Every structure is written in structure tokens, then in C-alpha cells.
């Protein structure tokens, strides 16, 4: 239930107002907040009622909240009115010592970037996938009015809390506890769909529920990363658009409120099976250079990537394909390059090398040189334009 802990004293409200206006000023100066209308909406919408507490350091430190002592309360208020993503829910799991975070209040600069990029106009019907704390729904309601906003989440507790928080501040959007992959048919069609979770491909239901001329904005990502893409729906049911130029990320959309990534067994590779070679591509690039990982994953559909540990203490990266192909590349380099082991019907590391070569020859392109085309039956990532010869199925 909503408590009075987030109510501010006059002095705290003055501090919060000053921080909120200061943040709006900084985001405007940085070019993040460009619209006078969205700036006014941002400055009218409190964030603190939707984040009564947060978990620092990905849950490694105790939560900080409005109900704590004076010093911690000041820390809470400062964090809420900063440009930071704040983890708002942790649940126990044997996979992580500190639990698994399942909801957060996204950094304001990212939410405002997405909202502005969606070109929301008066009367737009918006579906938000991932209600979370309810703060983004509050921004949408402040801009459009609650009757134009629908927000869904798979976690019933989040929906209950968000409903109370929003109602307490005069916002009454349609809220529902459903699997976001299915959208929300009762309110369709929508002029805009915005997802605050990541997906490996655009769910078919979102395409079906978007009106012609409408837009879908979501973080589309593979195993090595991704970023937010903005798609526009045409009259034939095809959505096409480019990735935004900056790296952004959201939590993966979950199929169940308490389901987490499974622990996957590491396929075996025997010394007799492996074909040994030397590569100029450092496996560390796949993790340290977001653009390299972004491009590489599209060249290797269905392949998973994980850290590898050798019996001799070496570390590296392992690639596993559905057909049983495996590749391992070790971080330690010698004067000849990186040691690679491969087995199975497909030489996976050869494809990694092809992807890195493509990226270099293309001039090391940024995310916004790539885009997505999605229909109910097919989806692919493309380079430069939808009809490019460089296309990879999602």
C-alpha cells in the first residue's frame, strides 16, 4: 500500500523542486530535452512518489528509502532527482548472492529521449510495456491524460503499487497485469507502443496492435547487446526504422513474474574434437566494444556467448550453436595472435572474424546506421537501408 513516507516537508519539497529544475536545465543544455512541452511535463511530474526506496550497487548494499533516518532520506531524495536508473525491486534467487533485480525506475534522460523520439501528439493512444514504478506512465498521463494511456506489467505487485501511486496524484490510466509480449488487445489499435524492457525481436502482437502510421519503440538486443530502435508502421503491416545512435539498455522482458535466466550447462569440447587456429580478433572486443558485439551477434543467429575457463586458468569466450558447433577463443595473446578452438559443423569463430572485418570495412558504423524491418512472419536487421544486401534475420 502507498504510505506517507514519500510525503515531503516544505523544506524537502523546496530541495526536490530545485533538483528537478536543475536536472531539466542540464538535460536541456545537453540536448537531451529538446521540447519545451516535454520539459514542462517533466518539471510538473514528481518522481519521488514512485520510488519510495531503491537498491544501490545492484542490490549489494542495503536499500535506501524515504522511510529511513534523516541522512539516508536525504540520500534517497538526491538519488531520485538525479539522472540515474534506480533499482526498485529485488527478489531472492539461487543464481545471485544478493538476489535478482526485476524492476527499476529508468534514468530520466533515457525516458525523455524515447518519449521525444516517439513524436507523441495530442490524442495519441499509447501502450507502455513494463509499468515498473509507474513514473513513466505518470509522465505520459501528464502529457496526454490518463484516458489515452495504457500500461501493462507481468508483476501484479508492481501494477497494484503503480495504480495507487498514480491515483494519488490524479492519474488514472488503464493498467493491467499481463504478459507484455501479448500487448493489450482491449485498447488496440495504438498510435504508439513504448517498451521499457528489452526483447530479442518485436513481438507479433505489438505489430498487430499498432495503427498504420503508428510507432513502436523498444530495446531490441541479442546476446552481445543492442539498443533502442524506433519503428514506423505502414499500411501493409510492416514496421521499419533505425536504431537510435546511443547505447541504451533495459532489463530483459520476462515470461513470468518470478522467472529468471536458467543456468545453462557448458557443452563439452574434447581435445580430440577441436580444430586449433590463431586469430587476430581479440575476444575481449565482443564485450568491451559495444559496436563490435552489436554487429557480430547478427552474423551468428541462435548462437549464445559465455565466458570460458580453461583447466590451466586461462579465460576466454565460448560460442555455442544449436547444431552443436562450439568455438572458444582465449584472452591470452602471443606474438602470433589469439588461440582459438573450434568444433562441429560450423566454424563459429570464422564468422566472428567475418563480422569484425565487415564492421571495419564499413567504416566502423554507429548503431544508427543499422535498422530493423518487422512483419508478422519475418524480421531482420539491416545495414544502411532496408533493401541492403547486408541483412541478418532476427
Amino acid at each position: 500500500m502507498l504510505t506517507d513516507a514519500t510525503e515531503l516537508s516544505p523544506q524537502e519539497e523546496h530541495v526536490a523542486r530545485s533538483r528537478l529544475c536543475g536536472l531539466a536545465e542540464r538535460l536541456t543544455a545537453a540536448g537531451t530535452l529538446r521540447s519545451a512541452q516535454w520539459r514542462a511535463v517533466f518539471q510538473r511530474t514528481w518522481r519521488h512518489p514512485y520510488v519510495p526506496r531503491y537498491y544501490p550497487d545492484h542490490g549489494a548494499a542495503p536499500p535506501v528509502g524515504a522511510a529511513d533516518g534523516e541522512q539516508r532520506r536525504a540520500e534517497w531524495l538526491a538519488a531520485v532527482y538525479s539522472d540515474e536508473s534506480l533499482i526498485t525491486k529485488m527478489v531472492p534467487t539461487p543464481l545471485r548472492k544478493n538476489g535478482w533485480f526485476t524492476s527499476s525506475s529508468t534514468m530520466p534522460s533515457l525516458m525523455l529521449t524515447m518519449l521525444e523520439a516517439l513524436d507523441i501528439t495530442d490524442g495519441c493512444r499509447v501502450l507502455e510495456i513494463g509499468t515498473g514504478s509507474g513514473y513513466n506512465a505518470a509522465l505520459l498521463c501528464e502529457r496526454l491524460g490518463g484516458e489515452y494511456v495504457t500500461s501493462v506489467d507481468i508483476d501484479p505487485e508492481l501494477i497494484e503499487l503503480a495504480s495507487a501511486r498514480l491515483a494519488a496524484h490524479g492519474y488514472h490510466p488503464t493498467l493491467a497485469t499481463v504478459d507484455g509480449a501479448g500487448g493489450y488487445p482491449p485498447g488496440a489499435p495504438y498510435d504508439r507502443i513504448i517498451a521499457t524492457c528489452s526483447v530479442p525481436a518485436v513481438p507479433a502482437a505489438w505489430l498487430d496492435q499498432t495503427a498504420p502510421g503508428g510507432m513502436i519503440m523498444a530495446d531490441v538486443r541479442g546476446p552481445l547487446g543492442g539498443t533502442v530502435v524506433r519503428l514506423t508502421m505502414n499500411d501493409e503491416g510492416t514496421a521499419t526504422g533505425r536504431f537510435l545512435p546511443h547505447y541504451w539498455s533495459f532489463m530483459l522482458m520476462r515470461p513470468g513474474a518470478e522467472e529468471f535466466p536458467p543456468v545453462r550447462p557448458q557443452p563439452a569440447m574434447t581435445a580430440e574434437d577441436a580444430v586449433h587456429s590463431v586469430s587476430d580478433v581479440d575476444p575481449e572486443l565482443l564485450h568491451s566494444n559495444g559496436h563490435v558485439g552489436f554487429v557480430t551477434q547478427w552474423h551468428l543467429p541462435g548462437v549464445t556467448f559465455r565466458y570460458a575457463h580453461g583447466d590451466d586458468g586461462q579465460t576466454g569466450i565460448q560460442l555455442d550453436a544449436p547444431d552443436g558447433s562450439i568455438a572458444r577463443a582465449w584472452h591470452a595473446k602471443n606474438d602470433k595472435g589469439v588461440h582459438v578452438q573450434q568444433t562441429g559443423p560450423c566454424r563459429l569463430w570464422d564468422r566472428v572474424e567475418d563480422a569484425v572485418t565487415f564492421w571495419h570495412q564499413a567504416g566502423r558504423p554507429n548503431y544508427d546506421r543499422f535498422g530493423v524491418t518487422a512483419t508478422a512472419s519475418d524480421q531482420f536487421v539491416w545495414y544502411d537501408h532496408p533493401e541492403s544486401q547486408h541483412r541478418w534475420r532476427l
Side-chain angles (χ1 to χ4, degrees):
M1 294 179 60
L2 191 70
T3 68
D4 294 333
T6 59
E7 291 185 5
L8 305 182
S9 68
Q11 182 178 359
E12 288 175 324
E13 185 168 332
H14 175 76
V15 170
R17 177 63 63 190
S18 176
R19 289 183 179 276
L20 178 58
C21 292
L23 180 55
E25 190 71 36
R26 292 192 298 276
L27 294 179
T28 300
T32 301
L33 188 51
R34 303 182 304 277
S35 159
Q37 189 170 45
W38 276 113
R39 176 167 176 167
V41 167
F42 180 60
Q43 292 186 157
R44 291 197 303 265
T45 310
W46 291 119
R47 189 186 187 197
H48 67 270
Y50 305 95
V51 188
R53 66 175 182 174
Y54 70 96
Y55 295 82
D57 301 322
H58 291 80
V64 178
D68 296 340
E70 183 177 345
Q71 182 175 345
R72 299 279 277 180
R73 185 173 168 87
E75 182 182 343
W76 160 74
L77 198 59
V80 166
Y81 290 104
S82 68
D83 189 29
E84 298 291 336
S85 291
L86 302 174
I87 294 172
T88 53
K89 184 172 181 179
M90 302 283 300
V91 298
T93 171
L95 302 182
R96 291 170 63 96
K97 177 182 177 182
N98 301 310
W100 193 270
F101 50 92
T102 60
S103 186
S104 67
S105 178
T106 303
M107 60 194 305
S109 60
L110 172 51
M111 295 317 310
L112 291 167
T113 295
M114 294 175 70
L115 291 171
E116 288 201 337
L118 273 175
D119 192 26
I120 292 172
T121 57
D122 291 349
C124 272
R125 296 155 298 173
V126 179
L127 170 63
E128 179 190 30
I129 309 293
T131 306
S133 70
Y135 174 61
N136 192 56
L139 291 170
L140 286 166
C141 289
E142 182 66 30
R143 169 64 183 85
L144 292 168
E147 65 270 29
Y148 293 101
V149 179
T150 299
S151 184
V152 301
D153 202 292
I154 201 164
D155 189 333
E157 181 186 37
L158 294 179
I159 289 293
E160 181 181 1
L161 290 170
S163 178
R165 293 164 181 163
L166 288 161
H169 292 84
Y171 304 129
H172 300 281
T174 298
L175 299 176
T177 303
V178 298
D179 184 343
Y184 191 67
Y190 301 97
D191 301 299
R192 304 288 187 269
I193 294 181
I194 178 172
T196 57
C197 53
S198 69
V199 290
V202 182
W206 301 1
L207 300 171
D208 184 59
Q209 294 172 31
T210 302
M215 295 182 189
I216 300 171
M217 184 165 285
D219 174 19
V220 174
R221 63 181 45 242
L224 292 178
T227 193
V228 174
V229 68
R230 179 182 59 189
L231 308 177
T232 300
M233 180 66 67
N234 67 15
D235 293 338
E236 286 74 45
T238 298
T240 303
R242 292 184 181 273
F243 287 94
L244 299 190
H246 302 293
Y247 174 80
W248 305 107
S249 67
F250 286 93
M251 297 178 189
L252 181 67
M253 183 167 65
R254 293 175 291 123
E258 304 300 338
E259 294 183 20
F260 308 98
V263 177
R264 296 170 300 186
Q266 184 165 304
M269 176 191 286
T270 65
E272 293 77 17
D273 293 336
V275 174
H276 297 258
S277 61
V278 175
S279 175
D280 292 331
V281 176
D282 188 338
E284 186 61 32
L285 274 177
L286 301 186
H287 294 291
S288 64
N289 187 313
H291 296 98
V292 171
F294 178 81
V295 171
T296 298
Q297 65 191 359
W298 310 132
H299 285 72
L300 292 150
V303 172
T304 58
F305 300 76
R306 72 180 84 212
Y307 285 105
H309 302 276
D311 294 335
D312 56 359
Q314 275 190 313
T315 60
I317 190 170
Q318 176 168 317
L319 287 64
D320 307 314
D323 66 2
S325 299
I326 303 172
R328 290 180 188 163
W330 303 100
H331 290 142
K333 298 177 67 174
N334 56 36
D335 55 359
K336 295 182 180 179
V338 171
H339 177 211
V340 175
Q341 300 165 278
Q342 302 187 79
T343 186
C346 180
R347 294 292 180 257
L348 299 179
W349 198 257
D350 293 359
R351 292 193 181 181
V352 171
E353 293 176 334
D354 291 343
V356 175
T357 297
F358 161 77
W359 183 68
H360 281 288
Q361 291 180 345
R364 302 182 179 186
N366 195 17
Y367 300 112
D368 57 353
R369 292 285 295 278
F370 298 84
V372 170
T373 294
T375 68
S377 60
D378 193 19
Q379 296 189 35
F380 54 87
V381 173
W382 43 262
Y383 169 67
D384 253 356
H385 58 86
E387 303 306 319
S388 168
Q389 63 176 321
H390 301 293
R391 302 197 303 178
W392 308 273
R393 272 197 165 79
L394 284 172

